[in-house]
Amino acid sequence: MDYLLQYGLFLAKVVTVVLSLVILVGVALGMSNRVRKHLQGDLEVEPLNDSYEAMSDTMELATLHPGSRKLWHKEKKKADKHKKKKTEERQRVYLLDFKGDMRASAVASLRQEITAVLSQAKPEDEVVVRLESAGGMVHSYGLAASQLDRIKQQGIPLTVCVDKVAASGGYMMACVADKILAAPFSMIGSIGVVAQLPNFNRLLKKHDVDVELHTAGEYKRTLTMFGENTELGREKFVEDLEEIHEIFKEFVKNHRESVDINAISTGKVWLGTHAKNVLLVDEIKTSDEYLVDRAKDANIYLVRFVYHKSLPEKMGLAAENRADSLLLRWFERLRVKQFFS
């Protein structure tokens, strides 16, 4: 009996401690959620000139004779004092990164970064965007392109660097820039529109499954996945695609007046060197080469807006990014096969 009493007291203590911890965690999470309502994310600004200079200094020191290093440090200290005031007066380059998925979800951060940059940028400064995207939803990339156009509207020079791919919606964004730089083997173009969906109507009929679809409006639903599609619906669907394609072509032509729009709007993808020949890009150069060169006469700042995400959001985003990376990988394989098979 005494043993059972002691065990009962021990169990009560354990339950009390566990409940206390649960309450404390709940309160902490509640406070965290209230704070996050006001702090949706963080703006991070990283000066890159120091990083470039540090790498250069490390290499220089490593190649010096050990006896010369003390003198090098002394001369370096004098040079840094003399250079400090001069660098503060230099032109500023604001660097943004955009890695696109099918929904162009990175536009959520892009719009915040551009708002922050435009609060400080002057016409003599420059915005550089490192862009990587194989395209996706028209309305999402249309918004992303409009965000970049805000920079142009403020009279700030805009440069887009493409190291890997700027295709379809990705090129819709890139063409807004005053200058497009592309790596030699980057993939550029794909100015076209594509849409596809499966139809299970025959399979459902085979198993005696009926599907009812009711719409108000003749073209509310042109093609469906489960209903029986009509020739009229197909014609309207294709008509809509053609209309979007024409708007896309017009958009590119307005921003790249020198291109032969009918020649480059077939949906074809060009490697960077060939894209320059058809005037889709202005210069063959990697982003690293361009930024290191600009660092000689400008202060470069990497600007990032990072949203706070809950654990479920992080897990969902990781799964989505994985799916997008697989799609991008297959896209690149198909293009490589197209060029080299």
Side-chain angles (χ1 to χ4, degrees):
M1 182 66 72
D2 183 58
Y3 171 78
L4 291 176
L5 180 61
Q6 289 183 13
Y7 179 76
L9 290 173
F10 172 75
L11 187 61
K13 290 179 181 178
V14 171
V15 172
T16 302
V17 171
V18 171
L19 287 175
S20 299
L21 288 173
V22 170
I23 292 171
L24 287 173
V25 170
V27 171
L29 287 175
M31 293 177 64
S32 175
N33 288 335
R34 285 197 292 272
V35 170
R36 287 185 176 184
K37 287 180 181 178
H38 300 286
L39 300 177
Q40 295 181 339
D42 294 313
L43 183 68
E44 300 175 355
V45 182
E46 179 186 352
L48 294 186
N49 294 67
D50 293 342
S51 299
Y52 293 142
E53 188 173 347
M55 286 190 288
S56 177
D57 291 347
T58 300
M59 289 299 300
E60 187 176 357
L61 272 173
T63 55
L64 281 177
H65 188 276
S68 304
R69 292 174 185 174
K70 188 174 181 180
L71 178 62
W72 183 91
H73 282 290
K74 186 177 179 179
E75 294 296 328
K76 174 69 174 173
K77 194 172 183 180
K78 288 181 181 179
D80 287 344
K81 287 182 179 179
H82 179 72
K83 185 175 64 174
K84 185 176 181 182
K85 185 176 181 180
K86 186 178 179 181
T87 56
E88 289 176 353
E89 299 171 351
R90 298 200 303 178
Q91 180 187 21
R92 295 177 180 179
V93 173
Y94 299 97
L95 175 63
L96 312 179
D97 284 316
F98 185 93
K99 189 170 183 179
D101 53 22
M102 294 296 291
R103 296 186 295 110
S105 55
V107 74
S109 294
L110 181 68
R111 67 200 308 176
Q112 301 284 5
E113 293 160 0
I114 290 175
T115 297
V117 167
L118 291 183
S119 71
Q120 297 297 317
K122 300 175 182 177
E124 60 267 24
D125 296 329
E126 180 186 10
V127 176
V128 176
V129 178
R130 287 187 295 204
L131 173 65
E132 180 184 341
S133 176
M137 297 180 178
V138 175
H139 59 281
S140 299
Y141 277 91
L143 175 60
S146 297
Q147 292 297 327
L148 294 184
D149 197 49
R150 292 172 57 196
I151 300 169
K152 296 279 295 295
Q153 295 298 324
Q154 290 294 320
I156 313 296
L158 173 62
T159 299
V160 165
C161 296
V162 183
D163 290 326
K164 292 183 178 180
V165 56
S168 195
Y171 189 78
M172 181 189 293
M173 292 179 65
C175 75
V176 175
D178 298 293
K179 181 168 55 179
I180 303 175
L181 310 181
F185 290 93
S186 59
M187 294 184 174
I188 309 293
S190 189
I191 301 170
V193 184
V194 62
Q196 63 180 350
L197 74 163
N199 183 266
F200 301 98
N201 183 253
R202 286 186 295 175
L203 176 64
L204 295 175
K205 279 186 175 181
K206 183 178 179 180
H207 294 278
D208 297 323
V209 178
D210 294 326
V211 176
E212 291 190 16
L213 177 66
H214 303 279
T215 62
E218 184 179 0
Y219 299 121
K220 180 61 180 176
R221 184 71 69 234
T222 53
L223 296 182
T224 74
M225 292 179 61
F226 302 106
E228 185 173 358
N229 292 320
T230 65
E231 284 302 319
L232 181 62
R234 292 188 183 94
E235 289 174 6
K236 180 64 172 103
F237 192 78
V238 172
E239 180 184 327
D240 291 341
L241 291 183
E242 292 289 350
E243 183 179 357
I244 294 171
H245 189 212
E246 288 300 319
I247 294 172
F248 191 178
K249 289 166 60 177
E250 184 179 350
F251 185 86
V252 173
K253 183 62 178 177
N254 287 339
H255 289 89
R256 304 282 298 182
E257 295 180 358
S258 56
V259 300
D260 181 347
I261 193 62
N262 291 322
I264 56 93
S265 61
T266 60
K268 181 179 176 180
V269 173
W270 284 264
L271 291 178
T273 49
H274 296 160
K276 185 176 184 298
N277 295 336
V278 293
L279 306 179
L280 285 173
V281 303
D282 300 294
E283 195 172 344
I284 302 302
K285 184 179 288 188
T286 65
S287 63
D288 300 299
E289 185 180 358
Y290 183 70
L291 291 170
V292 169
D293 188 56
R294 292 293 283 115
K296 296 174 183 177
D297 55 16
N299 294 329
I300 302 177
Y301 300 94
L302 175 60
V303 181
R304 290 183 295 240
F305 189 88
V306 182
Y307 277 95
H308 298 303
K309 293 182 177 65
S310 64
L311 181 59
E313 288 174 329
K314 289 179 180 178
M315 293 176 66
L317 185 62
E320 180 181 338
N321 288 340
R322 180 60 180 165
D324 284 332
S325 67
L326 288 172
L327 287 172
L328 182 59
R329 189 180 306 168
W330 276 107
F331 172 83
E332 290 177 345
R333 286 178 179 175
L334 287 171
R335 292 305 179 187
V336 168
K337 186 177 180 180
Q338 174 184 342
F339 284 114
F340 301 108
S341 60

